[in-house]
Amino acid sequence: MFAWAVHAAGLHKSHLLSYLITLMLVQLLWMLWYVCRSYTQRRLIQEKDTHAGARWLRCGITLFAVITLIMDSFKIGYFIGFSNCLSATEGIFPVTHAVHTLLQVYFLWCHAKDIIQSFKTLERFGVIHSVFTNLLLWTNGVLTESKHQLNEHKERLIMLGFGNITIVLDDHAPQCNCSTTTLCSIFSQGIYYLYPFNIEYHILASTMLYVLWKNIGRKVEHHQQHKIPFKFHGITIGTIFGLTVLTSTIAIVVVYLIQIGRSKIKSELALTMFYIYAISVLTLMCTAGIVALLIYRLEDRSLDNSKNPARKLDADLLVGTASGSWLLSWGSILAIICAQDHPQYTWYNLPYSILVIIEKYIQNLFIIESIHQEQEKVNDDIKTLRIVTISRENTLSLTPSFKEIYNGTVDADSGELPCLFNGNVKESSSNGSLEEDKSQVFSPVIHSTSDFSLYSSNSVANNKRRILKNIAAFLFLCNLSLWIPPAFGCRPVYDNGLEEIVFGFEPWIIVVNLAMPFSIFYRMHSAASLFEVSCKT
């Protein structure tokens, strides 16, 4: 793959695709063997990792897989149009990839939670082979998409008249005419708009398979795992603000892509617009993250430090992938400091780069602390109200339950009305009757001071939980918003030109091409982690 990227002599794209096809076929054979063996042993009790392969995670990978299948169909159509001059491997690859995608999604839906205890050597080979096959397919997608983005960037530089930079287009266009020109153009453009989803699909699949590999031979601690449902109730404010950011992001990206490269003035205005927007969003995200961390500091809750491969991988990926954008941000800061000429828009780049570093640090702390929080146990005194009734016969009895009273299932005409005496039943006097007055007989539920303090503390806890859920929902939508610009070609690190002048065109482009995929993945992985935090809080 690296040799093809640097145009090594004697190596063609067909060689690379043949290699990837072989890897996918090996994985397909192993998955078929595993699925068939699991089906024959379906009656045996098999341990499961309840933390791995959450339903929302499998739904997400299914969505990315569907878009990947659409991309494969576009590639097949593109191959048919240029079949006269394209290698047969370029037609076989998307077909194999589509079959691989279908079986892999089925495999992850059915077996992502498995804890394998038999045939460990063969299973370890198959799972780790699957992990690295997906990583190589991810790298191939990143490489192809980066070449396309670099070509577009070079074309913009040529249009803007940068004659001091040696520009050679990396052209891999077929050397023949398409049988249906319009369709080929649609397929060619559509493929590159769908690549971001294909890239996310493969990296997500590799992480799920890695957790499966780590679980091989693992001894599970048997404890009850509560299902974590997603509830929209209570996160309205965070969702509204997040959707506002998301809508603004789409508008900003559309305007940016239209204006950039048209002229020098329009390009500078587009860069300024993007930096101001990004500074505003990052400032809001930093503020929200700090508030969430302060709430955690005020709470006295212990952390869950039990062994959990999925949770450890989440934390490692957050820190590891954040280093990509940190590298780009520090490069921009050094370029601004060392540059001799400073166009006006570069001064917006400085606070933007600093905020990227700070925001990811704060967000990582919030997410890692959230996924390590122990589930809060509800106090029994909150669950059950101690309610007693006084009947017309002056006898004291317990009511059926608070839920029945609340739902109106207790007959009001029976003469029994709920009454609470400091959470305890009053003792009878010597004559066997209760000390009472008429006002108490027909009085409503009366709560004791201890109950009011109990409800007050419960109300404070609920308010904190609601704030945290809104912050998680807001940050979730903000991370989706910040995933969109670099994934779809809005990349100021390419277009502002300052870093290329300071570091040189080729060194800076190499740094960008290495760091950008991690930066893009960080946003999608953060969004997935924040969704889990929102459900768990």
Side-chain angles (χ1 to χ4, degrees):
M1 194 173 292
F2 178 75
W4 176 72
V6 298
H7 308 287
L11 189 71
H12 304 288
K13 188 177 183 181
S14 59
H15 299 146
L16 172 62
L17 295 180
S18 299
Y19 175 67
L20 293 174
I21 290 168
T22 305
L23 293 178
M24 286 191 288
L25 289 175
V26 173
Q27 184 187 346
L28 280 170
L29 290 174
W30 179 85
M31 287 192 296
L32 285 170
W33 171 81
Y34 184 88
V35 170
C36 292
R37 188 178 69 86
S38 299
Y39 180 77
T40 57
Q41 299 178 352
R42 63 189 181 279
R43 294 185 179 180
L44 298 178
I45 298 174
Q46 190 173 19
E47 292 183 325
K48 301 283 185 179
D49 182 358
T50 54
H51 295 279
R55 183 176 293 274
W56 59 267
L57 192 61
R58 288 176 287 169
C59 289
I61 199 171
T62 304
L63 174 62
F64 290 138
V66 169
I67 300 175
T68 297
L69 291 173
I70 296 172
M71 188 193 74
D72 287 331
S73 65
F74 278 21
K75 285 185 175 181
I76 294 170
Y78 184 79
F79 170 76
I80 293 171
F82 289 103
S83 57
N84 294 330
C85 55
L86 288 178
S87 169
T89 53
E90 299 203 33
I92 298 172
F93 178 81
V95 174
T96 309
H97 188 262
V99 176
H100 176 269
T101 300
L102 288 170
L103 184 57
Q104 183 167 258
V105 170
Y106 171 78
F107 177 84
L108 291 172
W109 264 96
C110 298
H111 303 287
K113 295 177 178 289
D114 289 0
I115 296 179
I116 301 165
Q117 300 290 356
S118 60
F119 298 102
K120 293 179 184 178
T121 302
L122 184 58
E123 307 293 13
R124 285 184 189 277
F125 160 75
V127 178
I128 204 65
H129 172 80
S130 302
V131 170
F132 280 98
T133 297
N134 277 277
L135 285 176
L136 284 172
L137 290 168
W138 170 74
T139 308
N140 181 62
V142 167
L143 187 60
T144 306
E145 197 265 346
S146 296
K147 281 177 174 286
H148 176 74
Q149 292 290 342
L150 184 57
N151 275 344
E152 288 191 344
H153 174 56
K154 288 176 178 178
E155 288 172 357
R156 286 196 290 266
L157 291 177
I158 292 170
M159 188 179 297
L160 293 174
F162 282 88
N164 57 340
I165 299 176
T166 303
I167 299 171
V168 179
L169 293 179
D170 191 3
D171 191 10
H172 289 284
Q175 302 300 315
C176 62
N177 295 325
C178 177
S179 55
T180 53
T181 308
T182 305
L183 282 177
C184 285
S185 177
I186 294 172
F187 291 149
S188 178
Q189 293 297 320
I191 287 170
Y192 290 106
Y193 281 110
L194 299 178
Y195 255 116
F197 301 99
N198 172 60
I199 290 168
E200 295 301 330
Y201 160 72
H202 281 299
I203 196 69
L204 191 57
S206 64
T207 57
M208 294 177 71
L209 289 164
Y210 176 78
V211 172
L212 178 63
W213 180 72
K214 289 290 288 184
N215 277 331
I216 294 175
R218 178 186 165 205
K219 300 298 181 183
V220 183
E221 299 174 4
H222 292 281
H223 57 85
Q224 185 179 3
Q225 172 67 19
H226 300 285
K227 290 185 177 180
I228 306 175
F230 172 71
K231 295 181 181 179
F232 185 77
H233 178 70
I235 58 172
T236 309
I237 297 175
T239 304
I240 290 173
F241 277 100
L243 289 175
T244 303
V245 172
L246 182 61
T247 307
S248 304
T249 302
I250 295 171
I252 292 290
V253 170
V254 170
V255 174
Y256 182 94
L257 294 177
I258 291 173
Q259 296 296 324
I260 200 73
R262 294 298 179 92
S263 66
K264 191 173 182 180
I265 295 175
K266 288 183 178 181
S267 295
E268 290 182 356
L269 288 174
L271 287 166
T272 303
M273 173 193 67
F274 176 84
Y275 283 133
I276 292 173
Y277 148 79
I279 289 169
S280 304
V281 173
L282 291 170
T283 302
L284 290 173
M285 293 175 71
C286 287
T287 306
I290 291 170
V291 171
L293 289 173
L294 287 175
I295 291 174
Y296 279 143
R297 293 295 176 273
L298 294 174
E299 287 186 338
D300 187 18
R301 287 174 62 182
S302 58
L303 297 179
D304 180 9
N305 294 317
S306 60
K307 186 177 180 181
N308 187 330
R311 186 173 59 200
K312 185 178 185 304
L313 180 63
D314 283 342
D316 292 343
L317 285 175
L318 282 172
V319 177
T321 55
S323 60
S325 56
W326 284 338
L327 178 62
L328 294 176
S329 296
W330 281 113
S332 296
I333 292 170
L334 288 173
I336 293 168
I337 294 172
C338 299
Q340 296 179 350
D341 297 325
H342 294 87
Q344 185 177 359
Y345 63 86
T346 58
W347 294 114
Y348 295 105
N349 189 10
L350 181 61
Y352 165 75
S353 300
I354 294 172
L355 280 171
V356 166
I357 297 170
I358 296 172
E359 185 272 329
K360 290 192 175 181
Y361 180 74
I362 294 172
Q363 182 170 270
N364 285 351
L365 284 176
F366 169 57
I367 294 174
I368 293 171
E369 189 159 342
S370 296
I371 62 179
H372 280 84
Q373 289 281 329
E374 284 189 340
Q375 289 287 0
E376 191 173 11
K377 296 180 180 178
V378 182
N379 195 313
D380 290 337
D381 293 334
I382 298 173
K383 291 181 180 177
T384 308
L385 287 174
R386 296 161 294 173
I387 301 173
V388 296
T389 60
I390 300 177
S391 65
R392 287 196 179 111
E393 289 80 18
N394 292 337
T395 58
L396 191 64
S397 63
L398 291 174
T399 61
S401 69
F402 174 73
K403 187 176 181 181
E404 292 177 9
I405 295 170
Y406 183 80
N407 293 331
T409 56
V410 175
D411 190 2
D413 296 331
S414 64
E416 294 183 354
L417 292 174
C419 185
L420 184 66
F421 297 92
N422 295 328
N424 299 304
V425 179
K426 282 193 174 182
E427 295 183 3
S428 302
S429 59
S430 59
N431 59 4
S433 63
L434 293 171
E435 297 176 2
E436 58 176 324
D437 56 35
K438 292 181 181 179
S439 63
Q440 287 178 327
V441 175
F442 300 102
S443 64
V445 176
I446 303 172
H447 301 285
S448 66
T449 306
S450 62
D451 288 319
F452 277 122
S453 63
L454 198 63
Y455 301 147
S456 176
S457 62
N458 188 39
S459 177
V460 171
N462 285 335
N463 288 334
K464 288 180 180 178
R465 195 177 300 113
R466 190 176 295 110
I467 293 171
L468 288 171
K469 285 180 74 71
N470 276 281
I471 289 173
F474 173 69
L475 292 177
F476 164 73
L477 290 168
C478 284
N479 276 276
L480 283 183
S481 302
L482 294 178
W483 173 79
I484 292 173
F488 291 94
C490 180
R491 301 180 178 181
V493 288
Y494 268 146
D495 298 318
N496 64 40
L498 186 66
E499 293 89 347
E500 293 171 4
I501 294 171
V502 174
F503 299 113
F505 181 79
E506 289 188 358
W508 179 245
I509 291 301
I510 290 171
V511 170
V512 172
N513 286 337
L514 289 174
M516 186 61 71
F518 294 100
S519 179
I520 294 172
F521 174 69
Y522 172 84
R523 289 300 174 189
M524 185 57 70
H525 181 64
S526 296
S529 299
L530 286 162
F531 185 85
E532 182 182 356
V533 169
S534 181
C535 294
K536 185 180 177 181
T537 304

